[in-house]
Structures are given as structure tokens and as C-alpha cells.
Amino acid sequence: MGWKGKNYMIEIKEAKLNDFDFYYDLKCEESSVYWGGFSQIPQRNKLYEFWESVTEKSAATGRTIYIMYVNKLPVGYAQVIEENGRLVLSIGISENSRGNGYGNSIIKNVINLRGGKYTYYCYIREDNFASIKSFEKNGFKKT
């Protein structure tokens, strides 16, 4: 599914196995390691096993990952986890793509893809002001 902006094309696609390198590179960025609460860069083989299980069996795991492309280049991801009748949403935007409103855009577009009938939740570190702002712009309330 795609949306056209002033000078760019945004596409949100369900992640495939061949999107792993982008996802891994994003997860290894210094800020991603920090915001994710990890003490070190994730091990590639363990993250690949997770990625493989999600992309090949998303219905069985209750987890779907979407990749956001701007002008056909990946800039971020959104992960949706079905949990007790609600959807838990998390996002990640690559460091060199932050500050362009992509976080806000990916949240809005994933909710549109999944439908508004769900209650959405997310967990954000209290000092991650950019993510808090993006979720608040999309109607999320702090609890």
C-alpha cells in the first residue's frame, strides 16, 4: 500500500525474510540499542531466528512486522503484536531518517492497515520524547 507526499512516495509492506539486513542494521544503531534497553548489539544469528519465525509464521506468532519505504528505500519498521484482544505497537526509524515525521506516518499508516477496531498500546521509555510525541499525535494517551 502506498501514499504520495509532496516529493516522496511512502509504502508500508509486510516484512519478508529478505528485509532482515535492514532490520538488523537498524537494531544495531547505537540509539536503537539504548532505546531498546539492550546492553549490547544483538547477536545476528539469534535476531535472524526471531526474524525468520515472524516473517514466515506471523499468524502463528501473533506478531507482524511492517517495513516503511520512502522512495523505495527502507527507513523504519513497525511491529504489531496481538495480545489478549489488543494490539501492541512499536516502531523504529533509522537514525539518518529521524526528524522527518516518519514515526508519525508509520504509526498512522499501520493503524489504517490493521483497522481502527482495535485498542492499540505501546511501551515507550519515558525519556524517548520523539516517540512519545509521535504516538500522542496519533491519539495515544499516556498511562
Side-chain angles (χ1 to χ4, degrees), residues 58-123:
S58 64
T61 63
R63 190 181 298 245
T64 306
I65 297 178
Y66 299 92
I67 304 293
M68 178 181 188
Y69 297 86
V70 175
N71 295 334
K72 303 200 183 277
L73 297 173
V75 298
Y77 77 93
Q79 177 175 226
V80 180
I81 303 169
E82 295 183 35
E83 184 180 90
N84 299 323
R86 63 185 193 169
L87 297 180
V88 179
L89 178 62
S90 63
I91 64 169
I93 305 296
S94 62
E95 287 177 351
N96 62 351
S97 297
R98 293 184 188 149
N100 294 305
Y102 297 145
N104 184 42
S105 184
I106 197 168
I107 295 166
K108 185 181 310 179
N109 290 315
V110 167
I111 289 173
N112 285 340
L113 282 172
R114 295 301 294 248
K117 63 183 177 183
Y118 296 99
T119 300
Y120 291 88
Y121 294 86
C122 64
Y123 301 98

Side-chain angles (χ1 to χ4, degrees), residues 9-65:
M9 176 69 171
I10 295 175
E11 296 177 279
I12 308 289
K13 297 179 182 177
E14 191 168 329
K16 302 292 182 211
L17 198 55
N18 64 353
D19 292 312
F20 176 73
D21 287 335
F22 165 73
Y23 182 76
Y24 181 74
D25 289 347
L26 193 149
K27 287 296 198 180
C28 290
E29 291 177 348
E30 185 177 338
S31 61
S32 293
V33 172
Y34 171 76
W35 293 121
F38 301 110
S39 59
Q40 60 190 12
I41 292 173
Q43 293 179 356
R44 186 175 177 89
N45 61 339
K46 289 191 185 263
L47 195 57
Y48 185 81
E49 289 174 14
F50 161 78
W51 187 257
E52 190 175 41
S53 73
V54 171
T55 57
E56 292 185 355
K57 306 170 194 153
S58 64
T61 63
R63 190 181 298 245
T64 306
I65 297 178

